[in-house]
Amino acid sequence: MTAKSKIRIATTSLAGCFGCHMSFLDMDERLVALLEQVELNRSPFTDIKQCGPCDIGLIEGGVCNAENVHVLRDFRAHCTILIAVGACAINGGVPAMRNYFDLQDCLQEVYLNGTGVTNPQIPSDIELPLLLDKVYPVSEVVPIDYFLPGCPPSADEFLQILEPLLTGHKPELPKSHVHYD
Ligand code: SF4
């Protein structure tokens, strides 16, 4: 297989903790075999900042700010298959716990009134992405092709969804993998 015929994969973390990316790396030596078939595009693993045309996009994390919306739409535009990876991408996960509260109340608690605050001020800079009112599952912003549950999904589960896709087949996750953590 030539480098040109490799499957191109992009990955990103939106409102996530990078735990799903760390779990991907738990493939350990199996990564070597995977990289014989795969070329990584935009990803924290490559530090490539712009998503080019890709076969598969892996999205970790929910959507909490305007930059997340932009990145997610960019992945949808450039990736043939988009996979929501992990609980945060699928249902908002831990970051979505703020959805139980008003955004302004959250900001005031964290930056003004919370325990240990020494220099109370709510950050406000043009460089900071605008926070959304809530944290949204990625499927509420763009169409998603596959969902890989888990917090994080295990390395085996990554392979179980990727290996069929690499050979043009539809992945079928066993029911035991459809779970909440
Ligand atoms: Fe982190 Fe779990 Fe969310 Fe993945 S699903 S980004 S491991 S909190």
Side-chain angles (χ1 to χ4, degrees), residues 15-20 60-61 85-89 94-95 150-153:
C17 75
F18 284 90
C20 291
E60 171 194 298
V85 174
C88 296
V94 172
C151 180

Side-chain angles (χ1 to χ4, degrees), residues 9-22 24 40-51 54 56-63 65 67-76 79 82-86 88-89 138 142 144 158:
I9 294 182
T11 81
T12 191
S13 180
L14 306 178
C17 75
F18 284 90
C20 291
H21 276 77
M22 292 299 105
F24 184 94
L40 285 174
N41 192 255
R42 174 179 171 157
S43 170
F45 302 138
T46 61
D47 212 24
I48 295 172
K49 305 295 187 196
Q50 300 297 327
C51 187
C54 286
I56 301 170
L58 301 173
I59 308 289
E60 171 194 298
V63 184
N65 62 36
E67 185 190 23
N68 292 162
V69 174
H70 171 76
V71 171
L72 183 55
R73 286 180 176 161
D74 193 47
F75 265 65
R76 182 66 281 178
C79 300
L82 211 52
I83 304 175
V85 174
C88 296
V138 293
V142 298
I144 297 294
F158 271 106

Side-chain angles (χ1 to χ4, degrees), residues 1 5-9 24 27 30-31 33-40 55-56 58 81 83 146 158-171:
M1 183 177 284
S5 63
K6 285 185 173 182
I7 301 288
R8 296 183 87 191
I9 294 182
F24 184 94
M27 284 180 213
R30 290 174 293 178
L31 279 170
L34 185 70
L35 288 173
E36 286 173 2
Q37 305 174 69
V38 162
E39 172 189 339
L40 285 174
D55 301 287
I56 301 170
L58 301 173
I81 294 171
I83 304 175
Y146 296 103
F158 271 106
L159 282 171
Q160 277 170 336
I161 201 165
L162 285 178
E163 282 176 337
L165 290 173
L166 296 183
T167 53
H169 295 93
K170 191 175 171 184

